[in-house]
Amino acid sequence: MTISVPQSRLILKTIMSSLRNNLASANIIDWETHSQEMNDRNGFLVSEQVGPEYNVTESTGAVADLTSGVQDTTFGSQSFTLNKVFGLSMGASDIESVTDLQSARKNKALNNGMARLASKIDYHIFDTAMKTFHLSTGAWGTDIDVPLEFAQARTRLALNSLESDQDINAVLNHVDHQNLAQYIYNDAPALATESSRAMRKGFRGLLDNVPIKASNQLARITTGTRTTVTIDGAGQNSAYGAVADSGSNAGFYKTQLLNIDLPTGETINAGEVFTIAGVEAYDPEIGQNRGFTQQFTVIAGATGVTNIATIRIYPAIIINDGSVIGAAGVDAAHATCDAAPADAAAVTFSGTAATTYTPRLMFRKDAVVCHSAPLIMPYTGQGFRRSLGEAERDGVAPLMPRLWFYSDPNTGAHRCRVDIFVQAQAREREAGVKFFGS
């Protein structure tokens, strides 16, 4: 059977309708659509510029003396190679029966397949977010069962200069949602007052003024086998200019390599969170410590060899030495820590070694961006895809699925596959936190 163009549009609309209904992450992240065709074997490169930051001077009785010059301007850059494609396949007859809206709604093969595809995309997005954020609150492995534990995550973001609630969302699991329900239902025995009704309504969508979602697709992280870890060598801080470019098309903006003492054979995995003794978080906006020990996340893990290892971490350890002008002034404007770690300083990881955890997430919408682009059209069979224009007008999930019907010349079987290019990346690592109960 040959698929007509109107029929292909109906099938694509059905695919998109199901994806929109099932994607939990669609409206809590940023999306970028690209007109360039994505080669589903090689991918393509995306680069984003990061704007400069400056120091604010304060003077009394006269303007600041600029005899020594003005502040340097240093732009950052984030680059990523995008090459991730999600897809599923089935017999052509499972889809070609879609000829009108009624048959589209009843097509279980298509709707079930898209629901499973949406779950897989959600997990990818939440996995990217989980490995993005260096901030963490609570005791790893503990469910959220009181509102205070949720509020602690929001407070950590506020202390990290994210004070506005605009575009912040949280993702919990369903057990957390159930645990928190008791504080709504038990608040007023009669539940008859307008305030109690408002609380019930608020719980369905907001907690601590943050919209919440409950999802089974929160990503898991398995911690490494690390036991006793210390810093290997003093003076491991970075100049902002040296870490401002992501390098190697791998999204390494404002990350650095850190040498540590790690027993031979032990491991540290990407996404883990740790602190370093004597290294406090620093606020360059006011030139003061933030009031908590700086937390770091592992971007690229490692295995101990001859009792040492090198891991890539975020944020880079950038120190303010009091300068305003020159490269040191640029460091001051982007400072993350109050001091470089001392040699042999203790490194303390969150969570028990070799244990799997499911962090909850709270983040601003622009913390994670998801890229969408059209896949190349096939040379054989019948290929259809959602147009770029239609995707750009989609305010929920601007995806561009490709539908491909083909036949096996050896068996005569008629088949169909649906493929979607979609890839998430970190954009604002400071704008999110992973959290647990306590």
Side-chain angles (χ1 to χ4, degrees), residues 22-279:
N22 288 284
L23 274 173
S25 59
N27 62 351
I28 62 174
I29 61 169
D30 272 351
W31 289 89
E32 291 283 351
T33 56
H34 302 273
S35 58
Q36 175 187 347
E37 283 188 340
M38 190 273 186
N39 182 324
D40 49 5
R41 297 182 65 86
N42 300 313
F44 61 89
L45 177 67
V46 171
S47 295
E48 296 183 350
Q49 188 180 74
V50 180
E53 299 287 352
Y54 298 97
N55 299 298
V56 175
T57 60
E58 180 179 350
S59 58
T60 301
V63 297
D65 185 353
L66 299 181
T67 302
S68 58
V70 298
Q71 297 179 52
D72 289 359
T73 296
T74 302
F75 285 88
S77 171
Q78 298 202 73
S79 298
F80 295 84
T81 296
L82 306 177
N83 53 14
K84 193 170 289 294
V85 179
F86 295 86
L88 56 84
S89 60
M90 61 186 70
S93 60
D94 295 326
I95 289 187
E96 63 186 9
S97 60
V98 176
T99 56
D100 53 38
L101 287 175
Q102 184 175 4
S103 61
R105 293 193 189 100
K106 293 182 177 180
N107 192 294
K108 293 188 180 297
L110 189 57
N111 289 322
N112 289 355
M114 290 307 107
R116 181 64 61 87
L117 188 58
S119 294
K120 195 72 173 179
I121 293 172
D122 268 337
Y123 190 90
H124 161 64
I125 292 171
F126 291 140
D127 183 61
T128 299
M130 182 270 293
K131 292 175 180 174
T132 290
F133 309 134
H134 70 106
L135 298 176
S136 174
T137 62
W140 281 43
T142 306
D143 291 334
I144 306 294
D145 53 18
V146 295
L148 177 62
E149 295 163 345
F150 186 94
Q152 286 171 341
R154 181 65 190 92
T155 299
R156 180 53 55 93
L157 286 179
L159 292 174
N160 204 50
S161 298
L162 199 66
E163 296 181 82
S164 170
D165 291 330
Q166 184 173 356
D167 289 334
I168 294 179
N169 293 273
V171 187
L172 308 175
N173 66 24
H174 292 283
V175 173
D176 301 330
H177 205 266
Q178 173 184 291
N179 291 341
L180 291 170
Q182 63 179 307
Y183 292 93
I184 304 303
Y185 302 143
N186 292 342
D187 184 76
L191 287 173
T193 66
E194 183 163 346
S195 62
S196 62
R197 288 196 297 270
M199 287 183 69
R200 277 191 170 205
K201 182 178 180 180
F203 178 70
R204 288 202 297 268
L206 289 171
L207 192 59
D208 199 24
N209 209 34
V210 175
I212 57 175
K213 286 181 178 287
S215 175
N216 289 326
Q217 276 66 57
L218 281 169
R220 278 67 166 171
I221 177 174
T222 300
T223 55
T225 58
R226 70 296 189 281
T227 53
T228 302
V229 183
T230 57
I231 295 297
D232 181 28
Q236 294 193 66
N237 56 295
S238 298
Y240 177 73
V243 300
D245 192 308
S246 66
S248 304
N249 306 327
F252 289 166
Y253 168 74
K254 215 163 84 172
T255 68
Q256 74 166 67
L257 296 175
L258 183 70
N259 298 321
I260 56 175
D261 295 316
L262 178 68
T264 299
E266 292 188 1
T267 59
I268 295 172
N269 294 333
E272 293 202 61
V273 173
F274 66 91
T275 58
I276 304 173
V279 179

Side-chain angles (χ1 to χ4, degrees), residues 373-395:
L375 290 168
I376 59 173
M377 292 297 285
Y379 292 156
T380 61
Q382 283 187 284
F384 308 94
R385 67 186 180 194
R386 192 187 193 201
S387 69
L388 174 65
E390 188 173 352
E392 289 178 332
R393 291 190 295 272
D394 191 330

Side-chain angles (χ1 to χ4, degrees), residues 55 282-284 287 318-324 328-329 331-333 335-338:
N55 299 298
Y282 187 82
D283 186 351
I318 304 172
I319 309 301
N320 179 3
D321 71 354
S323 302
V324 175
D331 291 347
T336 60
C337 303
D338 69 336

